[in-house]
Amino acid sequence: MKRLLALAALVLPMLVSITMADEPKERSEVPAKYKWDLSSMYASNEAWDADREKFESMLPEIDEFKGHLADGGETLLSAIRKIEEINQIVGNLYVYAGLSSFEDLRVGENSARFSEAQTLYAKFGEETAFFSPELLSIPKEKLARMIDSTRGLHMYRHSIDETLRLRDFTLSESEEKILAAASDPLGKYGSTFTALNNADMKFGDMTDEDGNTVELTKARYGSFIYSTNRQVREDAWKGLHTQYEKVGNTLAANYEGHVKARAFLAKTRGYDSRLQAATYGSAIPEAVYINLIRVSHEGAKPLQRYLELRKKALGVEMLEVWDLYAPLVEPTMKDIAWEDAKKIVGDALQPLGEEYVSLYWKGFDEGWVDVYETVGKRGGAYSWGTYSSKPYLSLNYDGTLSDVSTLAHEYGHSIHSYLTRHTQPYVYGNYRTFIAEVASMTNEAILFQKMLKETKSRQEKIYLLQTYLDQFRGSFFRQASFADFEMQAHAMVESGNGLTKESLNKLYADVYKTYYGDAVNVDPLNASEWSRIPHFLRNDNFYVYQYATSFAAATALAKMILEEGEPARQRFLTMLKSGSNDYPIELLKKAGVDMTTPQPVYDTLAVFEGLVSELEQNLD
């Protein structure tokens, strides 16, 4: 019943920035049309303070329902509605404070407000901790009669069923209250990493392609690593990873604390492992995770074949880690103006229909998008919002084809959020992560399919094929390897072993070898790459595997939409409008993809191999 309608999406291989030759601007220097408009949530800090006071005054009203949920259907309905009302307020407080903080992580006032919002949400968790244990204590037959006889409860059947399926892993009211109170301190590992990663870490200066000395930033790294100049790529890669290696002991200690905290919570609730807790809690069969790892291991040969082809095309004696994103031909799409990027994506999304495309353009007019990198801004890209807010999305746009793909990706999340929230009641106005990434990656698949179909030259086709194959590598193989690493790191802790810089580096190197084999000459610094992956520190962790499974589902859905047309499009849009009114596996089945079998993953590998062959033919 605690739905904080907040979805963050960050595609790790697609770090982006503004023009390399320019230093990031201060936020105040960027025109308003390139920044999101948060004023529709709160016009001022005073308005936020007023809602905070409203939340604190209303929170005690939940007390009157404690011990009374079994009194009757109307009492249960009133309790649910009161919790929803207060949850919407604290959700707005939390998301607004987070978005404001992410604009410039140097601003202490905004960071303090976000920390305060996290504390408020923890209080909300404590106050509502009684709900699930008490609901579960109602005999099944009586609860069924209460729902049947109370019309207002009918729409909550699925939501209540989601709570009931967690019966074996729900503790007593007092125990749930303790865990709710602990959620804030146990969730600080991610905040620690974010502060270190975005505000404190510096990567020094380097020389760009034009011989200019510029500061190396994480966002700018995303452009340098795609450079046609091999020395620039190497300097950027080493400059970034050297700094993470230097603080590896600190990052390892922080990650160990996070993993132990998640393992503690899983064990306390009675799960066999954190993996079971993550998959069962998300209503995903654990076999989906295991199948992904198994089949992706089988797919390592096609990946290594592509890397051998990349080595040959680049004409290098040995393929280095910093060569993995290098263009095989002179990029045919670069320095893409922002207005052109908007049009490229808008045109590509036409197969999704007039309703979808009109929402795409509506977002630019209504201030959904924060476009450029600025000093202190959170890196990467993400979409976030609440049931009543705009579905905001943040970019660090730099004019690369990767940035155009990221625009399509994040807009997939935001339009998904809009369609869900304007179709479903609050209780189903969010969606599971397993579904979320499908929406965004389908957009990217459609974008690349359209561009490949309309390519006008062999060089352009090679560039697009290489870019699409790199997207497969980044969103499928890379994320599967991350999931492999994450599963093994948790297993190490759960078997009583500690996590150190050395043990984590070795684990990461071993997993990397499984996927990349001898196709890449692995620099020793690469073993520390785990330390810069923020998704490993999400409070709901075991998150990254859903990028890979979603990529497989999205590949299948894009193919259906482009080949079947209207029937497939309607199935896809129905899924986007369904929110969480069914389990994610079932929603995907309704859209046409069954992820309980490994077949969609095998089909994705087949598409990948076909693209490798097509690239090979064009290079020959």
Side-chain angles (χ1 to χ4, degrees):
M1 304 305 296
K2 307 171 188 175
R3 300 183 180 275
L4 177 62
L5 307 182
L7 174 69
L10 171 63
V11 183
L12 297 170
M14 296 185 178
L15 300 175
V16 290
S17 66
I18 59 175
T19 305
M20 286 191 299
D22 297 331
E23 291 298 318
K25 297 180 183 296
E26 292 290 340
R27 188 170 183 82
S28 59
E29 299 177 293
V30 176
K33 65 179 180 179
Y34 300 124
K35 296 185 286 190
W36 54 28
D37 175 22
L38 300 183
S39 65
S40 61
M41 289 192 77
Y42 293 104
S44 64
N45 291 338
E46 289 73 24
W48 188 90
D49 290 336
D51 240 10
R52 182 200 62 213
E53 293 173 4
K54 181 179 180 182
F55 165 77
E56 291 177 331
S57 66
M58 290 182 64
L59 192 60
E61 296 177 17
I62 296 175
D63 282 344
E64 65 184 81
F65 297 104
K66 292 180 181 179
H68 296 286
L69 296 185
D71 288 358
E74 291 298 335
T75 301
L76 177 60
L77 178 62
S78 296
I80 292 173
R81 287 176 173 170
K82 177 60 65 177
I83 289 172
E84 285 186 340
E85 181 184 6
I86 298 173
N87 196 9
Q88 288 196 59
I89 297 172
V90 74
N92 284 331
L93 291 169
Y94 184 93
V95 172
Y96 175 84
L99 292 173
S100 299
S101 172
F102 296 158
E103 290 178 349
D104 189 344
L105 292 162
R106 302 170 302 169
V107 180
E109 179 185 357
N110 290 345
S111 297
R113 185 177 294 109
F114 189 32
S115 179
E116 181 180 0
Q118 292 170 316
T119 300
L120 294 175
Y121 197 70
K123 286 183 179 179
F124 173 75
E126 292 177 50
E127 193 64 31
T128 56
F130 77 95
F131 186 89
S132 292
E134 192 169 323
L135 182 70
L136 294 173
S137 70
I138 302 174
K140 290 183 180 179
E141 297 76 11
K142 180 178 180 179
L143 181 58
R145 290 196 300 271
M146 289 167 59
I147 295 173
D148 290 340
S149 62
T150 309
R151 186 171 181 178
L153 282 176
H154 292 177
M155 76 170 182
Y156 292 97
R157 286 185 191 274
H158 177 67
S159 177
I160 291 172
D161 183 61
E162 287 199 80
T163 300
L164 295 180
R165 66 182 295 275
L166 296 174
R167 182 185 299 273
D168 292 340
F169 307 107
T170 302
L171 308 178
S172 67
E173 177 186 342
S174 60
E175 290 169 326
E176 288 289 341
K177 192 167 185 177
I178 291 171
L179 291 186
S183 65
D184 186 24
L186 290 181
K188 288 300 182 183
Y189 300 101
S191 300
T192 300
F193 175 81
T194 297
L196 178 66
N197 193 39
N198 291 284
D200 295 341
M201 287 190 73
K202 300 296 180 184
F203 305 98
D205 295 335
M206 63 169 286
T207 303
D208 68 11
E209 291 175 319
D210 299 320
N212 301 312
T213 299
V214 296
E215 181 186 0
L216 176 61
T217 65
K218 294 194 310 299
R220 189 169 283 142
Y221 167 83
S223 292
F224 286 138
I225 203 65
Y226 288 96
S227 173
T228 56
N229 186 315
R230 198 181 195 199
Q231 190 61 55
V232 168
R233 297 197 303 268
E234 180 179 352
D235 290 348
W237 190 91
K238 287 184 175 178
L240 188 84
H241 288 82
T242 296
Q243 298 308 314
Y244 285 99
E245 173 67 17
K246 285 181 178 179
V247 293
N249 289 314
T250 298
L251 293 171
N254 188 61
Y255 182 55
E256 182 187 47
H258 170 77
V259 173
K260 285 186 173 180
R262 299 307 108 189
F264 160 75
L265 292 171
K267 183 177 180 181
T268 300
R269 291 195 174 281
Y271 290 102
D272 294 334
S273 67
R274 177 59 194 165
L275 175 59
Q276 184 196 19
T279 52
Y280 188 85
S282 298
I284 305 297
E286 194 171 338
V288 171
Y289 197 107
I290 303 302
N291 282 339
L292 169 68
I293 302 301
R294 178 177 60 81
V295 178
S296 62
H297 282 184
E298 296 175 20
K301 292 301 181 185
L303 171 62
Q304 291 165 26
R305 178 186 162 210
Y306 168 57
L307 296 176
E308 291 291 346
L309 184 60
R310 170 175 274 280
K311 169 187 168 183
K312 179 180 177 182
L314 289 173
V316 296
E317 183 177 342
M318 182 64 70
L319 191 71
E320 302 287 351
V321 184
W322 47 85
D323 295 325
L324 294 180
Y325 297 98
L328 302 184
V329 293
E330 182 68 26
T332 58
M333 299 183 71
K334 59 182 179 178
D335 300 326
I336 305 166
W338 171 241
E339 292 302 324
D340 291 337
K342 289 161 59 176
K343 188 174 187 307
I344 289 169
V345 174
D347 290 345
L349 297 180
Q350 293 296 325
L352 293 177
E354 182 179 347
E355 177 187 15
Y356 195 97
V357 175
S358 66
L359 285 176
Y360 172 79
W361 290 109
K362 173 187 175 77
F364 296 113
D365 295 335
E366 295 189 352
W368 295 7
V369 190
D370 206 78
V371 181
Y372 293 117
E373 177 192 13
T374 51
V375 180
K377 180 179 175 181
R378 176 177 169 172
Y382 56 91
S383 171
W384 205 17
T386 68
Y387 187 78
S388 59
S389 79
K390 297 170 183 176
Y392 294 105
L393 58 150
S394 176
L395 309 171
N396 281 279
Y397 186 78
D398 186 37
T400 67
L401 177 57
S402 177
D403 295 341
V404 176
S405 180
T406 299
L407 172 62
H409 180 105
E410 297 307 331
Y411 241 109
H413 288 310
S414 289
I415 294 179
H416 187 187
S417 298
Y418 186 96
L419 290 173
T420 288
R421 294 164 190 168
H422 285 76
T423 306
Q424 296 297 324
Y426 180 77
V427 65
Y428 303 125
N430 199 4
Y431 42 83
R432 299 275 194 176
T433 302
F434 198 80
I435 293 291
E437 296 302 330
V438 174
S440 56
M441 290 181 178
T442 299
N443 273 11
E444 289 183 280
I446 290 174
L447 171 68
F448 276 100
Q449 289 291 332
K450 180 178 188 295
M451 289 192 294
L452 280 170
K453 184 178 180 181
E454 298 177 355
T455 182
K456 296 179 176 61
S457 71
R458 176 171 163 271
Q459 181 174 348
E460 184 173 288
K461 188 159 192 176
I462 290 172
Y463 180 61
L464 289 172
L465 281 168
Q466 170 230 306
T467 304
Y468 198 19
L469 283 165
D470 284 340
Q471 188 183 74
F472 266 81
R473 182 174 56 79
S475 296
F476 179 77
F477 290 107
R478 182 172 165 87
Q479 304 307 319
S481 71
F482 285 168
D484 203 343
F485 168 85
E486 194 170 16
M487 179 176 68
Q488 293 189 54
H490 280 73
M492 287 169 64
V493 165
E494 288 166 343
S495 63
N497 295 312
L499 299 180
T500 65
K501 172 184 171 181
E502 291 73 23
S503 65
L504 288 167
N505 281 5
K506 182 181 184 306
L507 173 59
Y508 191 85
D510 290 344
V511 171
Y512 199 89
K513 179 77 171 177
T514 299
Y515 289 82
Y516 292 83
D518 296 323
V520 181
N521 183 38
V522 182
D523 188 282
L525 276 175
N526 193 65
S528 64
E529 188 182 30
W530 63 267
S531 65
R532 74 178 189 91
I533 309 303
H535 280 46
F536 289 160
L537 289 151
R538 287 178 59 96
N539 284 337
D540 56 354
N541 60 11
F542 285 104
Y543 176 92
V544 290
Y545 85 96
Q546 294 169 108
Y547 281 127
T549 54
S550 294
F551 192 88
T555 301
L557 287 171
K559 187 173 186 292
M560 294 176 192
I561 292 167
L562 293 172
E563 293 179 359
E564 292 182 33
E566 186 61 21
R569 175 170 65 193
Q570 287 304 320
R571 293 196 304 269
F572 180 66
L573 292 177
T574 297
M575 182 189 78
L576 298 188
K577 294 177 180 180
S578 296
S580 56
N581 69 7
D582 203 346
Y583 293 107
I585 286 291
E586 299 306 315
L587 290 175
L588 271 178
K589 285 181 181 177
K590 293 173 185 177
V593 180
D594 185 0
M595 292 303 298
T596 62
T597 77
Q599 193 58 48
V601 184
Y602 281 120
D603 291 343
T604 299
L605 293 176
V607 172
F608 180 81
E609 283 198 89
L611 291 169
V612 172
S613 296
E614 190 174 356
L615 176 62
E616 191 171 35
Q617 292 166 9
N618 278 274
L619 285 170
D620 287 342

